[in-house]
């Protein structure tokens, strides 16, 4: 289930984003301070071109989905899961599939997007494989520098017409 993030979720969002597994596959890898995070939330929570959603699984917070640059049928996205908590319960893969289904459904059915874009690091082969499973296509890789590292970032996109359609429930 996805729901809109609130002020009460801010500390949880930061804790999940700061998990080592999430920092390892992010463009910026430093641990985010409370002050930096509060500044991000102050801007993000009032920005009409953004949505921050909490992914809940079995009644507890299991991840965060960010939509940004929302305008006239297009938008970008990214997400991170509670890597530590889901690994403990052995639910990482099912949660990952579920959040991708729910987030792409939200993008196309709730936000009304025609195209959803994002980015993935070249070395993150597991995410790249899952993105292909969900019919995202990869663009030309680009070099970037962040946190003192050279990174190869691959843009991804999915059009509404190419998405995997949700299965009908009987």
């Amino acid at each position: 289930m996805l729901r809109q993030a609130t002020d009460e979720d801010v500390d949880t969002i930061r804790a999940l984003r700061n998990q080592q597994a999430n920092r390892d596959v992010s463009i910026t890898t430093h641990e985010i301070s409370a002050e930096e995070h509060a500044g991000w939330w102050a801007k993000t929570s009032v920005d009409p071109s953004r949505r921050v959603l909490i992914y809940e699984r079995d009644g507890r917070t299991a991840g965060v989905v960010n939509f940004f640059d929302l305008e006239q049928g297009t938008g970008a996205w990214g997400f991170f899961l509670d890597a530590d908590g889901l690994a403990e319960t052995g639910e990482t893969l099912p949660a990952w599939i579920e959040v991708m289904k729910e987030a792409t459904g939200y993008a196309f059915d709730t936000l009304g997007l025609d195209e959803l874009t994002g980015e993935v690091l070249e070395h993150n082969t597991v995410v790249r494989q899952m993105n292909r499973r969900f019919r995202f296509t990869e663009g030309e890789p680009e070099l970037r520098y962040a946190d003192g590292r050279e990174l190869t970032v691959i843009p991804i996109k999915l059009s509404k017409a190419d998405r995997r359609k949700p299965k009908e429930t009987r």
Side-chain angles (χ1 to χ4, degrees):
M1 174 181 112
L2 294 176
R3 65 168 176 80
Q4 194 76 31
T6 68
D7 292 343
E8 287 75 40
D9 297 306
V10 173
D11 291 338
T12 301
I13 294 169
R14 179 174 161 256
L16 295 182
R17 174 57 179 82
N18 277 337
Q19 288 179 355
Q20 190 63 52
N22 291 327
R23 292 189 356 241
D24 287 346
V25 293
S26 297
I27 291 173
T28 56
T29 58
H30 68 278
E31 191 163 330
I32 297 167
S33 69
E35 182 178 277
E36 180 183 1
H37 190 66
W40 168 82
W41 180 250
K43 288 185 345 190
T44 298
S45 63
V46 296
D47 184 344
S49 72
R50 298 192 66 122
R51 301 287 183 287
V52 179
L53 306 175
I54 300 298
Y55 165 61
E56 291 184 339
R57 183 171 174 82
D58 298 326
R60 65 178 188 83
T61 298
V64 179
V65 179
N66 285 294
F67 289 101
F68 52 96
D69 297 338
L70 297 171
E71 58 181 53
Q72 299 178 338
T74 65
W77 82 306
F79 75 94
F80 49 91
L81 293 172
D82 177 3
D84 297 343
L86 291 166
E88 283 177 18
T89 61
E91 295 182 39
T92 303
L93 183 59
W96 188 5
I97 292 168
E98 184 177 62
V99 75
M100 286 195 69
K101 283 180 186 175
E102 290 193 22
T104 54
Y106 186 91
F108 296 120
D109 300 333
T110 302
L111 294 175
L113 300 183
D114 296 313
E115 184 176 85
L116 182 61
T117 63
E119 296 178 326
V120 62
L121 298 178
E122 180 181 51
H123 72 268
N124 198 347
T125 55
V126 176
V127 167
R128 292 175 65 196
Q129 184 177 29
M130 182 68 81
N131 287 342
R132 285 190 290 276
R133 179 179 177 173
F134 275 81
R135 300 186 179 162
F136 281 88
T137 58
E138 293 184 350
E140 284 297 313
E142 60 183 68
L143 282 181
R144 287 203 208 145
Y145 296 89
D147 290 347
R149 305 174 303 150
E150 180 180 277
L151 302 168
T152 301
V153 179
I154 300 173
I156 60 168
K157 73 177 177 179
L158 176 64
S159 71
K160 183 176 185 174
D162 292 336
R163 78 187 263 213
R164 290 177 67 138
K165 302 291 188 273
K167 290 187 175 151
E168 299 275 330
T169 55
R170 297 175 196 234

